[in-house]
Amino acid sequence: METILRIGPCSIVSLSLALMLGCREPKIAAPQLRFVEVGTESGLVHPTWCGRDDKPHLLESGGSGLALLDYDGDGDMDLYLVNGWRLDGSEVIEKGANRLYRNRGDGRFEDVTHEAGVGDEGWGCGVAVGDADGDGDPDLFVTNFGMDVLYLNLGNGRFQRAENAPGIDGWSTGAVFFDSDGDGDQDLFIAAYVDCSLDDVLQAERSLKWKGDKVMVGPFGLEGKANRFFENQGGGQFVEATEQTGLSDVGLFYSFAVIALDLDHDLDLDLYVANDSNPNYLYINDGQGHFEETGLWSGAALDRNGMAQAGMGLASGDVNHDGLTDLFVTNFENDHSTLYRNLGSGTFADISVEAGVWEPSYMPLSWGTVFADFNLDGHLDLFIANGHIYPQADHAPESGSGYDQFNQLLQGELNGFIDRSSTAGPGLAVRLSSRGVVSGDLDSDGDLDLIISNVDAAPTYLRNDSMRAGHWLMIDAPGAIRVELSALNWSRSIDLTRGSSYVSVSDPRCHVGLGTIDRLTSVKAIWSHGQVVVREDIKADQLIRMVPEQ
Amino acid sequence: MIRYIAMVLLAGLALSQTTPKSMVAAYDAIADTILATKKAEHNIVAALLDGHFHGAQAYHSSGQFDKAAAEMALFGNEGDNAIGGIRKKLLEGGHHHHSDAEAKGTYEPGFVIITRETKQNVLKTVAAYRLAKSAGDREKAWKQFSELAHAALSP
């Protein structure tokens, strides 16, 4: 008889009984991951819409993103939820307003959309967070099907819609604020998908044959829309600089998620774009804000067989503790999501099979994804949000996938990942058509929770109730490019990522699971323009703030 | 207008039972143009691949191994993402250089010279070249790449 140690009083009783009865020494399982869905009781009750029930147009497949930000500067993470439109036939029956939820400090939320003035009613797709006007507080950029919107944070709980804001008039998807040229202000890259009009959407009919049914057409056969880059001239004045900086969308590929981070460890921010049905882009920064697109030869554009995949969402993290940030790209059903190991010097290798992500990711259709150390054991775990694009998938049960799908949680270990989805608590039993996901410490208890956006449903809020395997540290270093941590015989180097998941933004603070380490000899934060802040002798299990001297 | 031309053509056919020589000549000229264009497409892709091969060779010879690996990978991918964009445009317009062979899985959609098998072999060779632990391993990978490239570019 083997007894598995699980959290909770029942487990303790079982363990005690097992010991009293003279059973073999109990096997201590890996720290149990456990999530509980608390969306409704936390006040996250409003659905986000995406078109009609039968989804005749590709736009209705994408859902919408979400962002965590501390908009009111009270130290906890608030939630911005992007919303689309609800259609019936060719009629618009509801223009879903985006919503801002203020965190009351304990992980419960109140809707402050109206007071804050951020309830845009465009057909929302994604969101980026950054200090666009350089006044020290986070602003919101919303990508729409239609004209994008920039909301400037006034610092008093209210936002003002910026005039002459950068953006794309059409179907834009992911976006990211990042300092491309080290001048201290936040530039903006916007990804775009397909060139189409509202009339195309309203008049669309399902005409593509798929598994005996008819479904939406695309993206093959539809013209791509160009990504664009806007340079911040200071104070929130943006000028388009796509061509000049080398950030052209040369293939007019169908772009979704985008992240900015220092992938080649030369202390500037590079850019990675997940493209649907086309090779992904990797733009390497020369340090002066000029980029070279190296996707195809870097190894990060295609899978191990040289095939382009249906890139949807992105996660970044150092899964093998070699100091280099690896990339995970989610893909379509009946194809694996891909883990690219960073080999250094801007080159990558597909290690999906070796790392154990190939098999669990093959059947689902995957979107948002995040790396995070949910059980604080020192290894990054991986959460993946799933959901089909065709509601007609429910008519083909033999395919093993429906429109609503379970999300997945893969536990990180020394040699790769193990799928713990079926044992990770009731939160992983929620089955919807999910899209964006963000992670952050929403209830200020030191571990990372999750919020997931769903198509035509309210978001899912998964509170992290996992058994803790160790200590943690949260570092708030706004604008830093890297954080380095050291302890006795132990070190970590973490590249901080702008943007994440699928058209969404996670908690910007750097959360590190420390395992058994309870004290760090030093924590160093590094900025792209060479500034360094070092703190020494840091106790674990706390939030520290690091800002460069002016 | 098109209907009018068709009616005139049909009237001509009805009278003569043969296609007018001028129409045959026009269509024949168009056929030559289509075939010449397809040949031109092959030639420009061959020139592009030749450029990547010689670029790789130059970098390899001068010890710039990362740059050589990049050129080798672009050879295997039949060009960079800018070329991929043109391929995508052609596919969206209904043009497949090897429609039958694509259906059989020999070529990826839109590829002109590099077969699926060659692409996979080149990319494996690039990985071996990039990760080579010794000069000997790198030379071995380069030799394999050279053979694959020559085979792909041979008439």
Side-chain angles (χ1 to χ4, degrees):
Chain A
M1 176 184 170
E2 287 187 338
T3 305
I4 306 297
L5 182 63
R6 295 178 192 275
I7 195 167
C10 294
S11 304
I12 294 168
V13 171
S14 304
L15 177 62
S16 305
L17 278 172
L19 291 171
M20 282 191 295
L21 292 171
C23 299
R24 279 197 294 141
E25 185 180 340
K27 177 181 175 185
I28 308 296
Q32 179 95 2
L33 290 165
R34 180 179 167 82
F35 285 84
V36 178
E37 209 288 313
V38 293
T40 304
E41 65 195 72
S42 301
L44 303 181
V45 294
H46 298 290
T48 49
W49 302 113
C50 197
R52 287 153 285 211
D53 290 343
D54 66 334
K55 314 293 179 201
H57 193 275
L58 193 59
L59 177 66
E60 297 164 80
S61 69
S64 47
L66 64 169
L68 295 178
L69 72 159
D70 183 10
Y71 86 100
D72 53 0
D74 65 355
D76 53 38
M77 287 292 120
D78 310 300
L79 172 68
Y80 190 67
L81 193 60
V82 179
N83 203 347
W85 289 5
R86 192 179 186 192
L87 308 180
D88 184 10
S90 58
E91 301 293 316
V92 179
I93 58 173
E94 184 179 343
K95 293 182 177 179
N98 302 339
R99 289 185 186 274
L100 179 63
Y101 293 96
R102 190 181 77 83
N103 192 334
R104 293 159 68 165
D106 55 1
R108 289 181 299 156
F109 293 90
E110 61 179 318
D111 187 345
V112 294
T113 309
H114 183 70
E115 301 93 291
V118 288
D120 181 55
E121 292 187 349
W123 187 316
C125 298
V127 58
V129 176
D131 186 5
D133 53 5
D135 65 354
D137 49 34
D139 306 308
L140 283 164
F141 181 79
V142 183
T143 61
N144 280 331
F145 174 63
M147 194 60 207
D148 299 332
V149 176
L150 173 61
Y151 285 114
L152 298 175
N153 191 336
L154 300 177
N156 58 359
R158 293 189 56 80
F159 289 76
Q160 182 177 49
R161 192 172 174 142
E163 295 180 0
N164 303 317
I168 291 176
D169 190 2
W171 184 355
S172 46
T173 49
V176 64
F177 281 108
F178 72 115
D179 183 2
S180 69
D181 49 7
D183 65 356
D185 54 31
Q186 299 287 300
D187 309 304
L188 179 65
F189 182 89
I190 310 169
Y193 195 71
V194 158
D195 197 8
C196 61
S197 69
L198 182 58
D199 271 352
D200 295 336
V201 175
L202 296 178
Q203 304 304 324
E205 292 184 5
R206 291 182 282 125
S207 57
L208 178 68
K209 286 186 181 171
W210 181 82
K211 295 186 179 178
D213 216 325
K214 284 187 176 176
V215 299
M216 63 179 69
V217 170
F220 284 122
L222 303 175
E223 189 176 340
K225 193 163 182 69
N227 305 331
R228 295 174 74 179
F229 172 73
F230 295 87
E231 188 178 343
N232 194 336
Q233 304 283 293
Q237 299 300 309
F238 289 85
V239 174
E240 179 163 11
T242 314
E243 299 290 329
Q244 302 92 303
T245 51
L247 289 168
S248 302
D249 181 0
V250 289
L252 284 184
F253 292 160
Y254 313 120
S255 300
F256 269 136
V258 51
I259 53 175
L261 72 166
D262 184 10
L263 283 166
D264 55 356
H265 259 210
D266 61 353
L267 287 178
D268 55 38
L269 292 169
D270 311 301
L271 203 64
Y272 186 79
V273 183
N275 290 321
D276 186 1
S277 310
N278 286 287
N280 302 316
Y281 289 131
L282 172 58
Y283 296 98
I284 295 293
N285 194 337
D286 71 354
Q288 307 298 314
H290 297 102
F291 294 81
E292 182 184 4
E293 204 284 295
T294 66
L296 278 178
W297 63 264
S298 69
L302 309 167
D303 73 0
R304 66 172 58 212
N305 295 315
M307 300 300 296
Q309 298 178 282
M312 307 286 198
L314 292 172
S316 61
D318 180 7
V319 299
N320 55 346
H321 308 308
D322 63 356
L324 299 168
T325 301
D326 311 298
L327 297 169
F328 181 71
V329 186
T330 56
N331 291 312
F332 208 77
E333 67 166 351
N334 296 324
D335 191 8
H336 65 95
S337 294
T338 304
L339 179 60
Y340 295 104
R341 181 183 169 190
N342 191 335
L343 303 174
S345 305
T347 58
F348 295 81
D350 174 358
I351 58 162
S352 309
V353 175
E354 296 86 339
V357 301
W358 194 99
E359 190 175 347
S361 68
Y362 191 81
M363 287 302 290
L365 199 168
S366 303
W367 297 84
T369 180
V370 289
F371 280 119
D373 184 357
F374 293 115
N375 57 2
L376 311 179
D377 65 350
H379 299 294
L380 289 175
D381 310 304
L382 181 61
F383 184 89
I384 308 169
N386 298 320
H388 214 287
I389 61 169
Y390 306 141
Q392 296 74 22
D394 288 341
H395 306 158
E398 72 282 0
S399 71
S401 65
Y403 184 61
D404 293 339
Q405 301 186 351
F406 294 113
N407 297 323
Q408 291 172 292
L409 184 56
L410 276 59
Q411 183 172 341
E413 298 196 338
L414 195 60
N415 297 315
F417 293 88
I418 296 172
D419 188 355
R420 302 285 190 203
S421 308
S422 61
T423 59
L428 272 292
V430 176
R431 187 173 179 172
L432 292 163
S433 199
S434 299
R435 294 296 184 268
V437 56
V438 292
S439 66
D441 184 6
L442 299 171
D443 46 9
S444 302
D445 64 353
D447 61 27
L448 294 177
D449 312 292
L450 294 158
I451 300 183
I452 301 124
S453 65
N454 302 303
V455 174
D456 301 333
T460 309
Y461 173 8
L462 299 186
R463 188 184 65 213
N464 187 351
D465 286 353
S466 300
M467 179 188 291
R468 295 187 178 201
H471 300 278
W472 58 275
L473 187 71
M474 183 95 86
I475 304 133
D476 185 13
I481 202 163
R482 188 182 307 157
V483 170
E484 295 175 354
L485 302 94
S486 299
L488 190 64
N489 300 320
W490 181 96
S491 65
R492 289 282 183 274
S493 173
I494 300 165
D495 298 312
L496 304 182
T497 303
R498 282 80 172 145
S500 70
S501 184
Y502 168 72
V503 300
S504 298
V505 182
S506 285
D507 188 336
R509 301 169 297 184
C510 175
H511 179 274
V512 191
L514 297 173
T516 55
I517 292 163
D518 60 2
R519 187 175 287 274
L520 294 156
T521 49
S522 73
V523 178
K524 182 196 285 188
I526 304 167
W527 280 259
S528 61
H529 36 95
Q531 285 179 287
V532 174
V533 173
V534 181
R535 301 258 310 261
E536 293 180 339
D537 194 22
I538 301 291
K539 262 185 73 177
D541 304 321
Q542 63 166 326
L543 166 68
I544 61 171
R545 185 170 168 82
M546 302 176 79
V547 290
E549 289 178 14
Q550 293 299 315
Chain B
M1 185 64 180
I2 291 168
R3 186 178 293 176
Y4 175 75
I5 292 168
M7 284 173 67
V8 170
L9 179 59
L10 285 171
L13 283 172
L15 290 173
S16 67
Q17 295 288 301
T18 57
T19 306
K21 285 183 178 173
S22 59
M23 295 298 286
V24 172
Y27 196 15
D28 192 41
I30 289 170
D32 286 342
T33 307
I34 290 169
L35 294 172
T37 305
K38 202 171 175 189
K39 181 73 179 164
E41 186 189 16
H42 179 278
N43 290 344
I44 196 164
V45 172
L48 186 142
L49 292 178
D50 197 55
H52 285 308
F53 176 74
H54 285 102
Q57 196 169 40
Y59 286 128
H60 176 69
S61 302
S62 62
Q64 298 181 76
F65 302 124
D66 281 348
K67 289 184 175 177
E71 293 290 346
M72 292 158 70
L74 293 180
F75 184 99
N77 281 296
E78 204 171 280
D80 61 9
N81 274 330
I83 298 299
I86 296 167
R87 229 173 3 243
K88 175 166 162 275
K89 180 177 161 184
L90 287 167
L91 292 171
E92 285 166 5
H95 171 72
H96 295 248
H97 195 88
H98 296 289
S99 47
D100 286 349
E102 277 180 21
K104 290 175 187 162
T106 310
Y107 286 88
E108 275 188 42
F111 274 57
V112 175
I113 292 174
I114 300 295
T115 62
R116 219 179 262 271
E117 186 183 2
T118 301
K119 179 179 180 182
Q120 289 185 9
N121 288 335
V122 168
L123 293 182
K124 276 182 196 162
T125 307
V126 175
Y129 182 92
R130 190 186 278 148
L131 299 173
K133 291 197 167 86
S134 68
D137 287 349
R138 190 179 299 113
E139 274 308 315
K140 189 178 164 192
W142 172 257
K143 190 163 176 272
Q144 285 172 345
F145 169 71
S146 295
E147 287 168 5
L148 288 166
H150 282 119
L153 289 171
S154 63

